[in-house]
Amino acid sequence: MAKTVENPETVEKSRTLFQETWRRLLKNKGAIIGMVFLVVLVVAAILSGFIFDYDTDVIGQDIKNRLQWPSKEHIFGTDELGRDIFTRILYGARYSLAIGCGSVAIGLVIGVILGSLAGFYGGVVDQIVMRVNDILYAIPNIMIAVVIVSLLGTSTFNLLLALCVSASTSFVRIARASVMTIRGQEYVESAYAMGLPTWKVIMKHIIPNCLSPIIVQVTLLIGTTIISASSLSFLGIGVPSPAPEWGAMLSSGRSQIRNASYICVIPGLAIMFTVLALNLLGDGLRDALDPKLKK
Amino acid sequence: MAEQNLLELQDLKVEYDTDAGIVYAVNGISFTIAKKKTLGLVGETGAGKTTTALSILNLVPDPPGRITAGKVILEGKNVLEMTTEELEKMRGNDVAMIFQDPMTALNPVMTVGEQIAESVLLHNEVSEEEALVRAKEMLKMVGIDEGRATDYPHQFSGGMRQRVVIAIALACHPKLLIADEPTTALDVTIQAQVLALIKQLITSRDMSMLLITHDLGVVAEVCDDVAVMYSGQIVEIGTADDVFNHMLHPYTEGLFNSLPNLKERGEELQPIKGMMPNPMEKIVGCSFAPRCPYATERCGSEIPVLHNMSATHRVACHRYDGKEMKENG
Amino acid sequence: MAEPILRVENLTKYFQTPRGQLHAVDGVSFSIDKGKTLGIVGESGCGKSTTGRLILKLIDATKGNIYFDGKDITKYSVSQMRSLRCDMQMIFQDPFSSLDPRQSVMQLISEPIIEHKLIKGKEAIEKRTLELMDIVGLARRYVNTYPHELDGGRRQRIGVARALAVNPKLIVCDEPVSALDVSIQAQILNLLKNLQKEYGLTYVFITHNLAVVKYFSDDIAVMYLGQMVEKAPSDLIFTRPLHPYTKALLEAVPVPIVGKNRPIRKLIRGEITSPVNLPDECRFCSRCDYLVDACKTHDPQLAEVEPNHFVACARIHSVDDINITKTRPEN
């Protein structure tokens, strides 16, 4: 008896939806550019933890070399305290990525669970979840962050916490809408007709099919979260200095904007390109996952 | 008698350029529709019927579609060579089309009166009030109370929406109506009503019609002539009597044999074995040969062309080689 | 006489809507013997699909009783129904939305087997899945493909295989061939018929297509606005339809005959009325050409007017000899 399939004919090669999506994604040049950039950034962020020593390379001051324009020695120049900007940018990627991915990940889990429950059960559960969600959604996430940070103090972790509240609100909506649509599909009915208990129907059949819009939202939301984190750091209530968070670097460069504008511009560009790459990837994913473009 | 022909398709070929490859949707179709006559275009999904209909109006989406060869002669002029202006003048005015799904064919935010009037205003120099009056007349003609001109599509049932669609199509007195599966989405009793309405309107307005359907019962109800399509080609064409009562092509035979309508309980249905070929593969020989109970070697290598079996009846099948009607007596 | 495998009494389902109470299914009663097929016919809104789901308890009934294999399953809980799921299965209408797009053919067909622990061991389960594919005529080479890669006919075969996987006694087929091309329809219908002979299956065959139901069913029930208006053996329905709606339905079917043999049709007028807040009169009376006084005063119930032939029509109930109903009132 053969391993999986016993037959003389060849088994038809097939593609899962995942492989199909990947293939379509690769046809999108923008998405590829975005992916490549992000991969490089992630690698740089991880490696910089090993290559650089935090105290000497990243925050170590070197006053006599302050305000040097970009040169062979310092590719991005030095800031007002003599710190090498290139090192700080690479290291700073860790913060942006960690906060962006971290808050979105936590927000995802909370949001999907609450949204699925609301979408599946409807009625009172739906009403309560959605009304609370609507309130949180309506409050600007910067404000929520300000409140949480002023209650709990300024730290990277608290910033992450603050941002995942607003991240979860969008996932609640998406998950709820997806679940409501899929709940009415015949294959869900088929699962019940087969005798599957409700929890299995949700886990096996409903949630896996909701993933497409959620995946797209993840990439786009990481981008906006990075901007929010940078904005809050810019305002001084995000990642505390002297950490090389890009928004904080932008902020501290304000005083030198006339004679050493690169101190502001470079972190700004770093934010911009990262978010752009995420958006390109997100758009590419949305197109690749669009069922209407199939066949 | 070319003047008698309202529409003539000559060797039309249409392709679609997709991710997965080129789809050969229509592979050389020719037929004519005379004035005041109805031609039924019969075939299953993927035969190329809708693409043919869109080509007549030069509405094949480009990209990914491409009309690669052929002519569509409407009253002497080739539609495929018309300028945008000429096309806009022709569409809705000389040739109108109704689609399958009445639920999505109407704009949900406009009243039905406005939608009918829109067509009138587009092709006639009349005022808005006059157009609305015409719209109400059209509603009456399709059996809807005039007072409902101010209602919105969602307030109508499927059958009534399809009547509105017909009203829009006929508002400018087109000479040719293309109906793409106009009753497939409707209930049987409503289908019967709408078909009767279409039939009555066609006759009273001296119109020609191209009716696209997969339902042989509908064809028998409404059509003078019938063309059977398979895999982008016409395999048999003739009057309704020719095709229904003297069918020739094995595919036509197969279609009738798979109908439960005409069978007794207990008799097994005779489906056509196999499936329609993949339209991405270029066909060698007769496209039906793999499924044909009468296939010979020749069928696998030579594409059959349409032979004249009588003044009206033509079939593309090697079985009839040598049996064609002679040109002169 | 053996107990019918399925018996339904006064099955009713009302939905509460903002506009009022919607009578989706109203007092439907019938029974089916083992190995037979009951065809339920009607147009949209008649309640036939809802009836199918009520039988399988996919929806809870408002009133009425369901007896399966002699047992009253009306009040069975979800867990009690679980073991019965192996006896009663469903084949769905839309082959495009009734299969989870993320599951391969192997997973789709083996899911019910695994869920009910009918076979142990991965190899044995896979072997059985392949056997089922053979039975339904699906080439083995598709075993690892996904629904979106297959056409409607093949997907529907997967649906049949899924239903068969649990060795059911009764299968409710909800418009199983309506979404398929004519030549593929014939293939699937033949398959279903052969399976019935081979495994002694009982079918409830729901459809709007009269030609298909005639070919397939032993008995036919006609539904209109939630009620069963006529029920009789298949031949009788077609040779002696009694209810005006049945007659209209039969006449409305477009017949693929050209020439002298073409039947002349009389068309039904009007549209289906609303199933919400129904007054106490015959639901068909606004479209009926054969009204008598009783039609507007009470809602007729299904009654046997000749052996095995049930009709819900005040006029039919009031005549002594139903043979006179064959002529039209004008004659």
Side-chain angles (χ1 to χ4, degrees):
Chain A
M1 178 74 186
K3 198 164 40 81
T4 337
V5 177
E6 179 222 356
N7 60 43
E9 306 173 63
T10 48
V11 173
E12 188 109 330
K13 191 174 183 318
S14 74
R15 292 204 196 98
T16 58
L17 285 176
F18 175 76
Q19 290 166 316
E20 195 52 63
T21 306
W22 180 248
R23 190 183 64 92
R24 285 164 69 180
L25 190 65
L26 290 178
K27 291 194 180 177
N28 186 327
K29 294 195 183 59
I32 295 180
I33 295 174
M35 268 195 292
V36 165
F37 181 90
L38 290 169
V39 165
V40 167
L41 192 69
V42 169
V43 166
I46 296 175
L47 286 181
S48 53
F50 297 109
I51 299 178
F52 302 121
D53 174 65
Y54 187 69
D55 295 305
T56 46
D57 300 322
V58 179
I59 62 173
Q61 299 178 13
D62 185 9
I63 302 298
K64 57 177 184 342
N65 273 327
R66 65 195 289 268
L67 296 177
Q68 303 264 352
W69 277 76
S71 64
K72 254 202 334 248
E73 260 177 37
H74 299 280
I75 309 175
F76 286 166
T78 61
D79 65 5
E80 69 284 2
L81 293 176
R83 299 175 290 199
D84 178 37
I85 293 183
F86 181 67
T87 315
R88 284 171 64 81
I89 289 281
L90 285 186
Y91 204 88
R94 295 160 66 88
Y95 294 92
S96 299
L97 290 173
I99 296 171
C101 297
S103 46
V104 169
I106 300 175
L108 172 77
V109 171
I110 300 173
V112 166
I113 293 178
L114 286 176
S116 306
L117 290 173
F120 190 80
Y121 289 107
V124 175
V125 175
D126 186 18
Q127 292 297 321
I128 295 178
V129 169
M130 288 317 287
R131 297 295 80 81
V132 170
N133 198 58
D134 284 341
I135 293 172
L136 288 173
Y137 196 82
I139 302 176
N141 61 351
I142 302 255
M143 246 192 77
I144 297 183
V146 166
V147 169
I148 291 184
V149 163
S150 47
L151 286 174
L152 299 176
T154 313
S155 79
T156 310
F157 182 74
N158 292 343
L159 179 63
L160 203 152
L161 213 59
L163 290 171
C164 67
V165 169
S166 36
S168 67
T169 54
S170 30
F171 287 116
V172 168
R173 286 179 163 227
I174 294 174
R176 175 180 177 267
S178 297
V179 167
M180 282 172 75
T181 310
I182 292 172
R183 193 183 59 177
Q185 292 280 321
E186 277 196 329
Y187 60 83
V188 171
E189 238 190 329
S190 173
Y192 281 118
M194 217 206 310
L196 275 166
T198 308
W199 69 269
K200 255 196 194 170
V201 174
I202 299 181
M203 294 303 298
K204 242 186 124 186
H205 292 286
I206 297 186
I207 292 198
N209 281 297
C210 293
L211 293 180
S212 305
I214 291 178
I215 291 173
V216 174
Q217 183 69 356
V218 163
T219 44
L220 299 176
L221 204 56
I222 295 179
T224 49
T225 306
I226 290 178
I227 293 185
S228 299
S230 306
S231 313
L232 289 166
S233 304
F234 182 90
L235 294 173
I237 51 175
V239 178
S241 64
E245 202 277 336
W246 294 341
M249 289 170 69
L250 230 170
S251 177
S252 64
R254 273 181 300 168
S255 53
Q256 303 295 329
I257 203 163
R258 260 184 243 270
N259 51 327
S261 52
Y262 60 90
I263 303 181
C264 278
V265 168
I266 291 175
L269 287 175
I271 298 171
M272 188 186 103
F273 283 122
T274 305
V275 174
L276 182 62
L278 284 163
N279 283 356
L280 285 171
L281 179 61
D283 282 343
L285 274 174
R286 191 195 296 124
D287 287 345
L289 287 166
D290 186 348
K292 290 196 200 74
L293 293 177
K294 286 199 175 85
K295 294 249 152 90
Chain B
M1 318 307 137
E3 305 83 52
Q4 287 294 76
N5 287 333
L6 180 64
L7 177 73
E8 184 175 346
L9 257 65
Q10 289 176 3
D11 203 33
L12 182 70
K13 293 195 173 121
V14 185
E15 291 173 3
Y16 285 94
D17 212 345
T18 68
D19 273 357
I22 300 185
V23 174
Y24 301 100
V26 176
N27 301 314
I29 293 211
S30 308
F31 62 75
T32 58
I33 304 183
K35 294 195 177 135
K36 304 191 206 178
K37 289 280 192 178
T38 306
L39 174 69
L41 193 57
V42 173
E44 299 177 291
T45 324
K49 319 185 289 290
T50 304
T51 307
T52 306
L54 291 174
S55 307
I56 297 175
L57 290 168
N58 206 350
L59 274 178
V60 174
D62 186 350
R66 256 197 323 256
I67 300 180
T68 51
K71 296 187 188 166
V72 175
I73 318 266
L74 181 69
E75 284 191 309
K77 290 184 71 180
N78 187 354
V79 170
L80 302 177
E81 284 168 5
M82 282 186 184
T83 62
T84 317
E85 253 180 39
E86 290 172 318
L87 281 173
E88 285 173 3
K89 197 165 163 300
M90 180 265 289
R91 291 175 189 151
N93 203 18
D94 296 320
V95 181
M97 185 154 173
I98 56 185
F99 297 87
Q100 174 175 343
D101 188 2
M103 296 303 162
T104 52
L106 295 172
N107 186 337
V109 299
M110 280 169 77
T111 65
V112 302
E114 283 170 353
Q115 296 192 47
I116 303 173
E118 188 182 22
S119 178
V120 174
L121 282 169
L122 208 54
H123 297 290
N124 297 291
E125 302 280 331
V126 293
S127 67
E128 274 184 41
E129 290 83 35
E130 283 168 34
L132 224 44
V133 165
R134 269 273 274 280
K136 289 188 182 160
E137 279 169 19
M138 290 308 301
L139 280 178
K140 192 154 158 227
M141 185 177 316
V142 297
I144 297 180
D145 182 43
E146 281 183 2
R148 298 204 70 182
T150 46
D151 282 344
Y152 288 87
H154 70 268
Q155 294 170 283
F156 291 86
S157 68
M160 303 205 77
R161 280 189 225 197
Q162 199 63 315
R163 289 172 194 259
V164 171
V165 167
I166 294 171
I168 298 175
L170 299 185
C172 297
H173 296 280
K175 304 184 181 95
L176 174 68
L177 176 68
I178 304 178
D180 191 353
E181 309 258 18
T183 54
T184 306
L186 304 173
D187 276 328
V188 148
T189 50
I190 307 299
Q191 189 182 76
Q193 290 176 350
V194 171
L195 276 179
L197 174 68
I198 292 179
K199 205 169 163 191
Q200 177 236 318
L201 289 173
I202 302 281
T203 337
S204 67
R205 292 171 147 232
D206 286 337
M207 283 167 53
S208 303
M209 178 162 76
L210 175 66
L211 177 70
I212 296 173
T213 180
H214 63 276
D215 189 334
L216 289 163
V218 169
V219 171
E221 181 75 19
V222 176
C223 302
D224 303 307
D225 300 311
V226 181
V228 180
M229 259 185 99
Y230 184 79
S231 198
Q233 291 164 322
I234 293 189
V235 297
E236 185 164 359
I237 183 168
T239 63
D241 181 54
D242 286 336
V243 177
F244 277 70
N245 299 327
H246 307 283
M247 67 191 79
L248 295 173
H249 198 280
Y251 177 61
T252 317
E253 249 181 57
L255 274 183
F256 277 90
N257 279 339
S258 26
L259 291 179
N261 219 315
L262 310 168
K263 290 280 178 192
E264 292 307 314
R265 231 160 38 89
E267 262 179 64
E268 224 188 48
L269 294 174
Q270 290 157 36
I272 311 174
K273 67 171 163 60
M275 306 260 321
M276 205 179 281
N278 188 338
M280 289 198 280
E281 291 162 12
K282 271 231 172 229
I283 308 159
V284 177
C286 174
S287 50
F288 188 63
R291 306 173 74 186
C292 183
Y294 311 105
T296 62
E297 254 193 65
R298 187 173 170 213
C299 300
S301 52
E302 220 182 290
I303 301 182
V305 291
L306 281 168
H307 296 309
N308 291 322
M309 303 303 292
S310 78
T312 50
H313 198 174
R314 289 187 291 159
V315 67
C317 180
H318 290 308
R319 269 177 99 203
Y320 303 98
D321 282 348
K323 303 201 183 111
E324 305 93 76
M325 179 183 82
K326 300 288 178 276
E327 278 304 319
N328 300 304
Chain C
M1 200 164 68
E3 169 90 20
I5 190 170
L6 178 70
R7 190 160 56 91
V8 159
E9 266 171 26
N10 199 30
L11 196 57
T12 305
K13 179 69 185 172
Y14 296 145
F15 289 104
Q16 281 302 116
T17 71
R19 290 177 301 160
Q21 198 173 60
L22 199 156
H23 294 228
V25 176
D26 222 335
V28 163
S29 307
F30 60 83
S31 64
I32 316 177
D33 291 326
K34 190 169 183 318
K36 298 279 184 186
T37 302
L38 171 70
I40 301 185
V41 161
E43 298 175 299
S44 31
C46 69
K48 53 192 196 298
S49 289
T50 312
T51 305
R53 284 162 170 78
L54 285 169
I55 295 172
L56 290 180
K57 288 178 66 64
L58 290 174
I59 309 179
D60 287 321
T62 313
K63 276 191 286 194
N65 290 61
I66 308 166
Y67 300 90
F68 182 72
D69 238 354
K71 296 182 285 234
D72 185 349
I73 65 170
T74 325
K75 296 275 183 276
Y76 269 32
S77 66
V78 170
S79 44
Q80 282 170 304
M81 277 307 292
R82 215 181 118 82
S83 54
L84 272 185
R85 293 275 172 234
C86 291
D87 291 334
M88 326 161 76
Q89 268 299 313
M90 187 150 179
I91 296 175
F92 293 85
Q93 171 176 358
D94 187 353
F96 297 88
S97 64
S98 60
L99 300 173
D100 188 336
R102 294 186 172 263
Q103 289 185 300
S104 68
V105 170
M106 167 64 78
Q107 289 167 319
L108 284 165
I109 299 179
S110 58
E111 190 180 18
I113 302 176
I114 297 172
E115 184 58 30
H116 291 280
K117 303 192 175 57
L118 297 172
I119 299 178
K120 297 262 171 17
K122 185 161 182 251
E123 273 184 18
I125 293 176
E126 284 175 3
K127 180 160 173 275
R128 177 70 184 144
T129 303
L130 292 170
E131 271 170 23
L132 283 164
M133 287 175 74
D134 291 337
I135 293 172
V136 301
L138 191 58
R140 286 194 177 199
R141 67 177 194 276
Y142 292 114
V143 68
N144 292 328
T145 57
Y146 289 82
H148 68 271
E149 296 174 297
L150 300 172
D151 65 280
R154 292 199 176 98
R155 289 190 215 196
Q156 203 60 313
R157 289 177 197 268
I158 300 173
V160 176
R162 257 168 84 87
L164 278 184
V166 291
N167 306 316
K169 297 179 187 153
L170 172 79
I171 301 186
V172 174
C173 308
D174 187 4
E175 307 254 24
V177 295
S178 305
L180 305 173
D181 272 329
V182 162
S183 56
I184 312 289
Q185 276 190 21
Q187 293 176 3
I188 303 293
L189 287 174
N190 278 347
L191 169 67
L192 289 173
K193 252 206 161 176
N194 290 334
L195 290 172
Q196 184 175 42
K197 274 188 251 175
E198 174 110 8
Y199 298 101
L201 297 169
T202 309
Y203 288 136
V204 175
F205 196 89
I206 299 173
T207 181
H208 64 274
N209 186 329
L210 285 155
V212 167
V213 83
K214 173 182 180 183
Y215 169 73
F216 208 77
S217 316
D218 298 301
D219 294 295
I220 295 181
V222 180
M223 284 187 73
Y224 185 79
L225 269 186
Q227 288 175 319
M228 213 165 251
V229 297
E230 188 160 0
K231 178 174 176 294
S234 193
D235 298 321
L236 267 186
I237 288 271
F238 284 85
T239 53
R240 256 145 76 84
L242 291 176
H243 196 283
Y245 177 63
T246 313
K247 289 193 224 182
L249 203 55
L250 290 171
E251 291 195 23
V253 177
V255 177
I257 297 176
V258 165
K260 316 186 289 302
N261 297 326
R262 229 186 126 65
I264 305 172
R265 312 197 300 173
K266 182 174 181 295
L267 299 180
I268 193 177
R269 59 185 161 82
E271 300 244 328
I272 201 166
T273 47
S274 167
V276 179
N277 297 334
L278 291 161
D280 199 13
E281 57 179 16
C282 175
R283 294 175 197 198
F284 191 63
C285 63
S286 62
R287 307 171 78 186
C288 187
D289 287 331
Y290 309 90
L291 296 175
V292 300
D293 293 328
C295 297
K296 290 227 160 232
T297 55
H298 79 283
D299 195 5
Q301 298 301 309
L302 207 59
E304 196 166 8
V305 295
E306 57 172 0
N308 272 327
H309 197 160
F310 300 77
V311 185
C313 176
R315 181 170 150 264
I316 307 278
H317 292 164
S318 62
V319 298
D320 293 318
D321 181 2
I322 58 171
N323 286 311
I324 66 168
T325 63
K326 278 168 78 176
T327 57
R328 299 246 158 83
E330 303 85 37
N331 295 4

